[in-house]
Amino acid sequence: MFKNEEGSAIVVTMIVLFVVSSMVAVSVEIIINNIKNIKLAENKAKAFYLAEAGVEQALYDIKAGDIQLDVNQPLPLYDDEQSASDKTNSYYKITDGEDSNYDYRIDANGKVDHITKTITVKCNRGYGSFFNYSVFSEGDVTFKNNTDLYIDKLGRGGIYTKGNVTSGVHLYVHDTPNNPEDSYDVSDLYNSKYINVDKEDKLSFIDFDINYLKQIKDEDYPVSENKLDTKKGLDLNIEINGDKVVYMGGENIYIGNLDLISDDEGGILFVDGNLELKNDTDIKNYIVIVTGNIILKNNITMQNALLYSKGNISEIKNNSEITGTVAAKNGVNFKNNTTLTFDNSYIDILKEYGLLSNMGGNNSGNGLKIISWEEKTTFDKK
């Protein structure tokens, strides 16, 4: 009888041990699977954030005009132990849409372990932004005589206005940078892809922070507010060299010859009032910001420059050569033959002095419109 009870006890013990062992094994498997799932979710999230960072960086590059087409750009590391394979396969690339229904395509890859997240974004400049035009105004833009307009290889450098565009003679557009002689006369201004007449109020004129400009000024430049002084030879020649922010204040400021030259990081001339320039004006590597109107009585030469007025810019004449952007809130008037060549590398000056983060207007984000966003997750075989 005792032998039977001992045998039964052994059987029961073995059954209990089996059940417990099975439960432990199942629990361990569940725990291992949970750890794997947690790690999988973590890696998926890391891959997504990497790809998303690539998209954000690409959009920033496009907005800043700092674009390298069809080149894999590396993404920042998510940690110091990122594998060589992850580094190689984590990148973003910008492609020109050319004849497609979009201006740019962005492909951003984020790779973590055996997981790759790919985000493909297509976007349009639409009406673009302030920094994508040779001339920008909310008022009328008038060309009295022949004008040559040189577009860059990305199709930037046209004219944006909410008013009307009129051309008294010819407006020649050169949109083949490698062959500037290849041009055509824009006879129908309103049907040219480089003449954007915005009647839907899509963009607003950007505003610079006046108080910020006053805070960062390096010097106050004494000027005359008496128009007769220019006839007497006073303040006829003003030459400002170097990398600095120069402030001129007064309701009406009259200058004869004006030379603004910087060979390094660039500078800013800030005029709080109206500005009249009687004779030749030469601007190189400078930003000119005027809160009032600008009157140019003679020719102007601009190189890597922005000429900005919160009022009108009028009487630009005598074979002016402008490489950069002319922007006036209320209108721009070109009187004589003018050459406009697009170049927005003056953006580097805005960055240098912190002006990009201190401006307003609904196009300060450069007017990009995302028209599609696609995501795909792939798993490498282990």
Side-chain angles (χ1 to χ4, degrees), residues 199-216:
K199 298 299 184 181
E200 300 179 12
D201 200 27
K202 293 183 178 180
L203 299 179
S204 64
F205 199 76
I206 64 172
D207 294 319
F208 291 105
D209 188 330
I210 303 302
N211 292 326
Y212 176 75
L213 281 164
K214 291 179 178 179
Q215 289 173 11
I216 65 172

Side-chain angles (χ1 to χ4, degrees), residues 28 142 181 189 278 310:
V28 169
T142 304
E181 298 304 318
L189 295 175
K278 183 176 178 63
K310 285 281 287 184

Side-chain angles (χ1 to χ4, degrees), residues 101-113:
N101 63 346
Y102 56 87
D103 290 320
Y104 299 106
R105 169 176 168 153
I106 300 167
D107 292 289
N109 271 18
K111 186 174 187 302
V112 179
D113 197 12

Side-chain angles (χ1 to χ4, degrees), residues 43-56 75-79 82 86-87 89-92 108-112 115 117 119:
N43 287 343
K44 278 185 178 179
K46 283 183 177 180
F48 171 78
Y49 291 136
L50 271 173
E52 188 179 45
V55 172
E56 293 298 324
L75 292 176
L77 305 180
Y78 62 84
D79 61 41
Q82 188 174 16
D86 288 357
K87 292 176 185 177
N89 292 285
S90 295
Y91 62 87
Y92 68 94
N109 271 18
K111 186 174 187 302
V112 179
I115 300 172
K117 187 73 174 184
I119 300 178

Side-chain angles (χ1 to χ4, degrees), residues 1 5 28 37 42 55-56 69 78 87 103 109 126 129 175 201 209 222 241 261 264 301 306 317 320 338 363 372:
M1 181 176 177
E5 289 178 356
V28 169
N37 289 335
E42 180 182 325
V55 172
E56 293 298 324
L69 295 174
Y78 62 84
K87 292 176 185 177
D103 290 320
N109 271 18
S129 79
D175 61 356
D201 200 27
D209 188 330
N241 295 310
I261 307 294
D264 196 3
T301 300
L306 165 64
K317 57 186 179 181
S320 292
T338 305
N363 61 347
S372 71

Side-chain angles (χ1 to χ4, degrees), residues 33 56 83 97 132 140 176 213 248 287 294 343 352 372-373:
N33 286 335
E56 293 298 324
S83 69
N132 284 338
D140 294 341
T176 310
L213 281 164
M248 295 180 182
I287 306 290
I294 300 175
D343 180 3
E352 179 67 25
S372 71
W373 179 295

Side-chain angles (χ1 to χ4, degrees), residues 20 22 27 74-75 88 99 234 277 289 319 357 369:
V20 171
S22 298
S27 298
L75 292 176
T88 302
D99 298 327
L234 300 177
L277 299 167
I289 299 172
N319 301 315
S357 58
K369 180 180 180 182

